[in-house]
Amino acid sequence: MEQFTPSSKYNSNHWTTNSGAPVWNNNSSLTVGPRGPVLLEDYHLVEKLAQFDRERIPERVVHARGFSAKGYFEVTHDISHLTTADFLRAPGVQTPLITRFSTVIHEIGSPETLRDPRGFAVKFYTREGNFDMVGNNIPVFFIRDGMKFPDMIHSLKPNPKTNVQEMWRAMDFFSHIPESLHMFSFLFDDWGVPYNFRHMEGFGVHTFKLINKAGKETYVKFHWKPSCGVKFLLEEEAVIVGGTNHSHMTQDLFDTIAAGNYPEWGLFIQTMEPCMEDAYDFDPLDDTQTWPEDKFPLQPVGKMVLNKNIDNNFAENEQLAFCPGIIVPGIYYTDDKMFQTRIFSYSDSQRHRLGPNYLMLPVNAPKNKHHNNHHEGFMNFMHRDEEVNYFPSRYDPVRHAEKSPLPQNSFSGKREKAIIKKENNFKQAGERYRTFDPARQERFLMRFVGVLSDPKVTDEVRKAWVFYWTQADASLGNKLAAKLNMPAIQSGM
């Protein structure tokens, strides 16, 4: 008997149950007489309703609202001297991929015009397994230690009493977190509402390591640059666009690809020798900081082209799962505290949403051959006929893979809960604000005035924000104080 893998291309020409039995009536319940009552023995009815009742899986706590597209990555510049990563081995090499763009805070049905960071996640299906580059459209993040992440998200989510997102809660929380200032210099800038996905930059956010054949390590930052440029929506435009179509970003991406106008991004890297990490006034592993491009210029690597829409939103968007811990030989983690905690948190979240075997789902499974003894558990649908499910065994010829280079640095120190030495919370935020033209500076200022003018924001919270922005830029701090009818605060206090 021919064996079929689960796929709609093998659909029969008549209705069946999930177990394949024919269904001769998919319109009427089995009843006693034409008017009822309904019989519980109507297996197809019970299966159909039970399946429908379970159609929704748990919503992502963050990045719930998003959309995906498929395509390929092509290497255009040789960086094989920096990494053994197979998919980066030479110019011309192409690797299939899927990308998911998303908002961070808001729920699945929320408008795509809301001010929010955007997720920019790419799953490369390489010959050595998958590589998940899980980033955002902003190059920095709010916090530098994952211990704060649940509290941060709680402050940005709806008030548990009113179920309304109220920014006084976020202003209160972040008034204790001066490291967030650089992130807010993006979020409250025009940057905070992208025009659409195609006109949006992407960043790996964290510092990664590249490792070459000789075991040499290089720090690296990843940047995605859209070929069509970067554009944003101002408040008045966002109201009009969002009021017309609250899925405008999703529709634009789908329609553009369907029309054959394939979106494209260039991948660039910044590199740094690890021996130089103490030479600067910031910690290069700190995800709240960027690397100045005049000191660390962008180097081209390749291009991503999205040339195919997904076939099914549930299978290839809702069930699509990323984890920063999924890397390939030649790319490795750094000691960035936020990066380290995400390695656990993302995979743990996906196991909760999709089950322990979520990496078997077609959209998440590697395209190369793979083998291990991770099996059984909920929804394990891999066909296995081995008798040996342990290692090592003289009955199974499977062996260890060829060893790949790993970081060789050693560690010493006492156990402690501590902050990094070089916080430098204000410098880069101020530098970024000073790159804005006067009109853009005014828009940025008035967005902060708006949220800090909420009656539930206390004077203590306002004073903290005025103090922070004064340290970043004295003129900005003074303007903010004046707009809030508060006394100015001296810089450097």
Side-chain angles (χ1 to χ4, degrees):
M1 185 174 181
E2 188 175 358
Q3 181 177 334
F4 299 111
T5 57
S7 171
S8 59
K9 68 181 180 180
Y10 298 123
N11 280 352
S12 72
N13 59 6
H14 58 262
W15 291 117
T16 73
T17 64
N18 282 346
S19 56
V23 173
W24 65 271
N25 187 333
N26 193 37
N27 295 315
S28 303
S29 304
L30 184 65
T31 59
V32 179
R35 297 188 64 235
V38 174
L39 294 175
L40 189 60
E41 68 186 58
D42 189 343
Y43 174 83
H44 175 58
L45 169 69
V46 174
E47 179 182 82
K48 186 176 182 180
L49 294 178
Q51 184 79 29
F52 174 76
D53 293 343
R54 291 162 176 79
E55 280 186 0
R56 296 294 177 266
I57 61 177
E59 182 177 284
R60 290 171 172 89
V61 178
V62 290
H63 298 277
R65 171 62 136 134
F67 197 63
S68 308
K70 295 182 281 191
Y72 65 89
F73 175 77
E74 181 177 338
V75 179
T76 56
H77 293 72
D78 187 6
I79 62 166
S80 59
H81 61 290
L82 295 174
T83 178
T84 61
D86 178 74
F87 79 104
L88 298 173
R89 64 188 178 274
V93 172
Q94 290 190 357
T95 301
L97 57 76
I98 187 167
T99 300
R100 186 174 189 268
F101 305 104
S102 57
T103 52
V104 174
I105 296 301
H106 305 285
E107 66 277 7
I108 285 179
S110 57
E112 292 181 317
T113 48
L114 298 177
R115 185 168 300 277
D116 200 13
R118 263 63 177 180
F120 195 119
V122 183
K123 186 183 294 290
F124 299 84
Y125 299 106
T126 89
R127 300 193 307 182
E128 293 185 314
N130 293 350
F131 170 45
D132 287 0
M133 189 189 296
V134 193
N136 283 336
N137 74 320
I138 294 175
V140 293
F141 199 56
F142 293 102
I143 53 177
R144 57 173 68 103
D145 192 320
M147 180 69 85
K148 301 172 185 173
F149 188 79
D151 296 293
M152 180 196 82
I153 297 300
H154 287 170
S155 78
L156 290 164
K157 286 284 191 179
N159 183 327
K161 184 174 183 177
T162 65
N163 199 35
V164 175
Q165 186 185 30
E166 299 170 5
M167 283 303 290
W168 65 266
R169 304 173 71 246
M171 291 296 98
D172 171 33
F173 173 77
F174 287 109
S175 72
H176 301 273
I177 316 291
E179 69 209 55
S180 67
L181 227 61
H182 198 188
M183 180 71 169
F184 276 106
S185 77
F186 285 88
L187 185 60
F188 275 38
D189 175 32
D190 298 348
W191 200 284
V193 185
Y195 187 74
N196 54 37
F197 295 136
R198 293 183 295 115
H199 290 84
M200 194 170 79
E201 292 190 54
F203 302 90
V205 180
H206 301 293
T207 300
F208 291 72
K209 278 185 179 178
L210 297 179
I211 307 177
N212 68 11
K213 289 181 180 179
K216 183 178 184 296
E217 302 168 27
T218 303
Y219 285 153
V220 64
K221 289 269 197 181
F222 294 110
H223 300 249
W224 293 105
K225 302 289 183 183
S227 61
C228 58
V230 180
K231 292 176 68 175
F232 312 111
L233 291 174
L234 298 184
E235 279 79 353
E236 298 79 6
E237 298 171 304
V239 169
I240 294 170
V241 171
T244 304
N245 180 1
H246 79 294
S247 299
H248 79 286
M249 299 180 82
T250 293
Q251 183 165 6
D252 173 81
L253 182 65
F254 188 94
D255 290 349
T256 300
I257 294 173
N261 301 320
Y262 303 137
E264 184 176 312
W265 285 260
L267 178 64
F268 296 80
I269 59 173
Q270 291 176 289
T271 59
M272 179 192 297
E273 297 293 333
C275 63
M276 297 298 293
E277 65 179 312
D278 294 327
Y280 306 99
D281 63 358
F282 64 95
D283 187 330
L285 305 188
D286 179 358
D287 70 348
T288 72
Q289 307 284 330
T290 55
W291 295 1
E293 292 183 15
D294 58 339
K295 294 184 175 67
F296 307 96
L298 296 179
Q299 306 167 47
V301 176
K303 65 178 181 179
M304 173 173 68
V305 179
L306 299 181
N307 61 359
K308 188 176 189 305
N309 278 310
I310 57 176
D311 299 311
N312 179 270
N313 183 67
F314 182 77
E316 296 179 297
N317 181 34
E318 283 307 299
Q319 290 194 134
L320 177 58
F322 294 91
C323 174
I326 295 178
I327 56 174
V328 290
I331 299 176
Y332 208 73
Y333 325 112
T334 60
D335 299 332
D336 172 348
K337 293 182 182 182
M338 194 67 206
F339 197 171
Q340 293 281 321
T341 52
R342 290 178 76 208
I343 292 169
F344 163 75
S345 181
Y346 273 63
S347 56
D348 188 55
S349 175
Q350 303 302 353
R351 292 185 187 104
H352 166 66
R353 293 183 62 245
L354 301 169
N357 292 301
Y358 75 95
L359 289 176
M360 286 186 182
L361 294 168
V363 73
N364 300 320
K367 306 304 182 188
N368 59 309
K369 291 184 178 180
H370 57 287
H371 179 78
N372 58 49
N373 291 324
H374 307 333
H375 68 107
E376 300 181 358
F378 291 112
M379 298 305 292
N380 186 306
F381 50 85
M382 179 182 289
H383 175 73
R384 305 181 73 109
D385 59 5
E386 311 99 315
E387 292 185 275
V388 174
N389 60 351
Y390 50 86
F391 178 86
S393 169
R394 290 183 174 87
Y395 297 93
D396 186 347
V398 68
R399 58 179 174 81
H400 286 119
E402 185 176 330
K403 185 177 180 180
S404 57
L406 289 175
Q408 297 300 305
N409 49 313
S410 57
F411 302 91
S412 64
K414 62 182 181 180
R415 293 183 179 90
E416 58 183 322
K417 294 197 172 208
I419 60 175
I420 64 173
K421 292 181 179 179
K422 295 180 184 178
E423 290 194 272
N424 208 346
N425 294 321
F426 307 116
K427 180 182 177 183
Q428 292 192 0
E431 289 174 342
R432 184 161 196 281
Y433 169 78
R434 288 188 289 276
T435 66
F436 302 163
D437 61 52
R440 192 167 178 174
Q441 288 184 347
E442 182 68 13
R443 291 194 295 271
F444 178 81
L445 170 67
M446 294 311 296
R447 289 176 190 126
F448 256 100
V449 171
V451 294
L452 292 176
S453 296
D454 187 312
K456 296 195 77 168
V457 174
T458 65
D459 286 341
E460 183 181 7
V461 171
R462 292 190 187 100
K463 186 176 181 180
W465 281 104
V466 170
F467 173 77
Y468 291 159
W469 283 118
T470 300
Q471 308 316 302
D473 184 272
S475 66
L476 172 58
N478 290 336
K479 290 175 183 176
L480 185 59
K483 293 286 187 182
L484 295 172
N485 296 315
M486 297 180 66
I489 297 176
Q490 293 299 313
S491 176
M493 288 178 62

